[in-house]
Amino acid sequence: MLQGICSDPEILPTGETFFLFPAGTDYVYASRFPRKGAHTGCFEKKHFHKIKEVNETPEWQPEPPKRTVEIERNKIYSAKLISCGEHSKKLIDKTYFVIARGAGLHVDMYPSAELKGMLACYPVHWFGNFDLVDQETEIESVEIVPDSVMEEDIFDQPIEPEFFEQMKLF
């Protein structure tokens, strides 16, 4: 991927830096974003100056591979956050209190063992060093009704049919 500054005010704003993607030998696609599909048009290379190569490697590490972590539901664990999205990188490498959610693929993350003020819900493989926390009170299991359960009528009285007239089409 290339990056260059536009020098022709008739095609694009001058002095603005654009990402450039080759389109043959003498033409480039110009984009404000580092993605070819978001280009603003195809222009001759001569309309850009200070063209330089840009490193495409991301600064942030990719997500770790998924692994099975055996933790029990309704048990509180202390665990170290070893990976997360780039938007919440300030939370990484700290120990939090977690409790398994649903099938155990995600955990709710809290700052204290009292489970007050939930911070986030992350995949369980983003955590490491799980230690069971001694609990004073038992956490009640919350039963979730599956979507396949049919809804019952919520009306107490049946609806009486009103007079209607059926019309014939033919």
Side-chain angles (χ1 to χ4, degrees):
M1 180 169 44
L2 303 171
Q3 206 171 26
I5 299 173
C6 181
S7 59
D8 188 355
E10 292 185 14
I11 59 169
L12 292 170
T14 56
E16 192 170 331
T17 304
F18 290 92
F19 292 97
L20 305 174
F21 300 93
T25 56
D26 296 332
Y27 290 88
V28 290
Y29 289 106
S31 174
R32 287 187 170 92
F33 307 103
R35 187 170 161 257
K36 183 179 179 180
H39 70 85
T40 58
C42 187
F43 307 101
E44 290 185 74
K45 271 187 183 177
K46 68 179 183 181
H47 297 297
F48 297 92
H49 64 280
K50 295 186 181 177
I51 297 176
K52 62 180 179 180
E53 187 74 26
V54 178
N55 187 4
E56 289 188 53
T57 57
E59 295 177 14
W60 193 246
Q61 306 140 359
E63 183 175 340
K66 293 186 178 181
R67 64 187 192 288
T68 57
V69 178
E70 297 296 325
I71 60 173
E72 295 180 41
R73 288 181 58 191
N74 300 329
K75 299 281 184 184
I76 301 173
Y77 293 88
S78 66
K80 184 176 183 179
L81 184 63
I82 57 174
S83 177
C84 64
E86 187 176 1
H87 61 280
S88 56
K89 60 185 173 185
K90 65 180 184 249
L91 301 174
I92 204 163
D93 290 332
K94 296 179 185 172
T95 301
Y96 298 98
F97 295 92
V98 297
I99 185 166
R101 166 183 268 205
L105 300 176
H106 287 77
V107 292
D108 292 337
M109 183 174 81
Y110 296 90
S112 66
E114 289 82 34
L115 305 181
K116 303 274 188 217
M118 185 174 115
L119 297 173
C121 176
Y122 289 139
V124 72
H125 67 273
W126 284 9
F127 291 89
N129 303 336
F130 286 89
D131 291 324
L132 185 63
V133 175
D134 295 328
Q135 294 176 237
E136 295 177 8
T137 60
E138 188 69 27
I139 298 174
E140 294 181 17
S141 176
V142 178
E143 192 171 318
I144 300 174
V145 179
D147 293 335
S148 62
V149 175
M150 301 208 35
E151 294 183 18
E152 295 181 18
D153 290 334
I154 58 172
F155 300 105
D156 293 336
Q157 299 175 355
I159 299 175
E160 305 255 341
E162 295 181 18
F163 175 76
F164 69 95
E165 181 179 340
Q166 184 170 351
M167 300 178 74
K168 292 173 80 176
L169 294 175
F170 302 102

